[in-house]
Amino acid sequence: MGNIVLLDDLTINQIAAGEVIERPANVVKELVENSVDAGATKIQVEIKDGGKSLVKIIDNGKGIEMEDIPNSLERHATSKIRKIEDLEDTYTMGFRGEALASISSVSRLTMITKTEKETTGIKIKAEAGNIVESEEVASSTGTTIIVEQLFFNVPVRYKFLKQDATEFRYIKEWLQKAAMAHPEISFKLVNDGKFVFQTNGNGKIRDIIYQFYGKEISDNLIDVNYEENNVKVTGVIGNTRIAKDSRKNQIIFLNKRNIQNQVLTNSADQAFKGSTGIGKYGFFILSLDMPANLYDVNVHPTKQEVRFKDEDLMYKILYRAIKSSALSEAFLGNNEQSENKKKYVTDEYNFLTNHFEKSLIHSKTIEESKENYLNNIKNSGETKIENVNTQTSIDFIKREQKRKIDYKYIGILLRTYIIIQIDNDMYLIDQHAAHERLLYEQIKANYKNNITTNSQMLLLPEVLNLTHKEVEFIKQNEELIRKTGYDIEFFGENTIKINGIPDIEYRIKTNTKDMFLDVLDEILDNTRTASKNIEERFIATVACKAAVKAHMDLTRQEVDSLIQGLLTLQNPYTCPHGRPTTVKINKNDLKF
Ligand SMILES: Nc1ncnc2c1ncn2[C@@H]1O[C@H](COP(=O)(O)OP(=O)(O)OP(=O)(O)O)[C@@H](O)[C@H]1O
Ligand SMILES: [Mg+2]
């Protein structure tokens, strides 16, 4: 007799359960998703011992019809789709018809359910997948599912569970996300008999965020409300103050399902650039609502991964959604014309995407990105930047257009912070960060507009002896360096001559040689982000090196020119690295 046999149903279900049910939090996820699909407006979750001994979900959804009950525990049994094409138009959380079969194969499961049209409910008990008891019971419309002794028949699985507190934390975190994805549903969580949280189901995501994250976070959020190509992006993003060291607070829902997607993560990173500090991740809780035929969610049984049909488009949409809010009045706190702002957003966007589009979207290897970058610069950089230089584009920091802002100069604190007063607000301005932001915008504008006269001629050209590595870098990035405003000339094997430097508002006649070497040092040293976004980095580094430092005494005239310059910027509130340039303190904040 051969060795190959068909597995029995229980074994099949237990194997399948391995994919979706790894821990109690997965049980909660699957059951809550079923309640959501059943149209429940109230979902209560009760947990004991981290969910190991009990997970109980009570919903007020539509219930399961009597004749469907046996099927509901069968594998591949679902009321949600009939054929695979239906997925193109399916918005339910479930569709695989395997969650209940999987859970009941590895636990003791009790289900009480009643539909509107029936007068009594049914209660069934299943053990390792088989219905062992069934009786009529009094019940209100809805479904209650009790899962006891998870993995009682799969000891290897049980062994891998973590401490109760840890398992409970997974459950709580997941349920909080579900509550944010469905603000119109009231969720309640009870752990070991103790109340944990309850949302009121009033549909307001802000209320829920306040409840989960507290006042500090809530006060630093800006609404996102963006629509493009049938894709709606709503929710909130956080400003610099609440950017964090981890991605924990980056949550995306796609048609109310919490998902992970690299394209979206990359896009968000890019959009937050300049609005978070170095190494910090922007805070966001965003919902994407879009037609189901534009992506595939059936990539993995847990449905947390998706594949978009048009990844480039999704990248751009999320980028623009975040960027427009990051550049909004609420975020920047100023009163710029919104028409200007729109232009600024598009302009920033074009600037970033023209060169890096592909390499950013599909986070390629460093070598590939470099290759791409160089090719893009070679092939398209010239023409695209010329386009920007037409009448239609706006030079956002035309220096002659500086607005006159009335402010009262108070003084300089600790030789670092300029203090001014505008109306009832006091501003503390970090002189280095502010100057850096100003220079960064000036260099970038020169660069984007491809101004041929963006270089200040040096009376005495500087001759620099460089290392082999430095020369290589310059050769590879010659065009970038020139466009930034450096007029350079190769002068023998390892020597270059600098004839001109970027035309920006230096404070002091900087030592050109040292500054250029510093920039090279910084760029070549910092391999962390090597060659990725080199353009941005180069400009930011030049700005940083050329900017006035802390503890350098500024004259009144210099302060004036710095503040006036700063106030004409679209985003004067952070330096290019995302450090705040300015802190605003209201009269009310000072009351004590
Ligand atoms: N709380 C509930 N209220 C009403 N019907 C439910 C509930 N839970 C399950 N059902 C019914 O039982 C069926 C089987 O549920 P199950 O979770 O196994 O599969 P599914 O949700 O269709 O797909 P998936 O495996 O992707 O979750 C569902 O299609 C639904 O008809
Ligand atoms: Mg389901």
Side-chain angles (χ1 to χ4, degrees), residues 30 34 80 94 99:
E30 292 301 331
N34 282 346
K80 299 168 193 175

Side-chain angles (χ1 to χ4, degrees), residues 168-186:
F168 176 70
R169 186 163 49 78
Y170 291 137
I171 292 174
K172 183 178 160 197
E173 279 171 9
W174 188 84
L175 201 67
Q176 288 189 329
K177 284 184 188 162
M180 291 190 284
H182 303 277
E184 71 293 345
I185 297 176
S186 165

Side-chain angles (χ1 to χ4, degrees), residues 34 38 59 64 78-80 94-100 143 303:
N34 282 346
D59 75 42
I64 304 179
T78 181
S79 57
K80 299 168 193 175
F95 54 81
R96 298 172 62 99
E98 62 183 5
L100 284 185
T143 304
K303 313 177 190 88

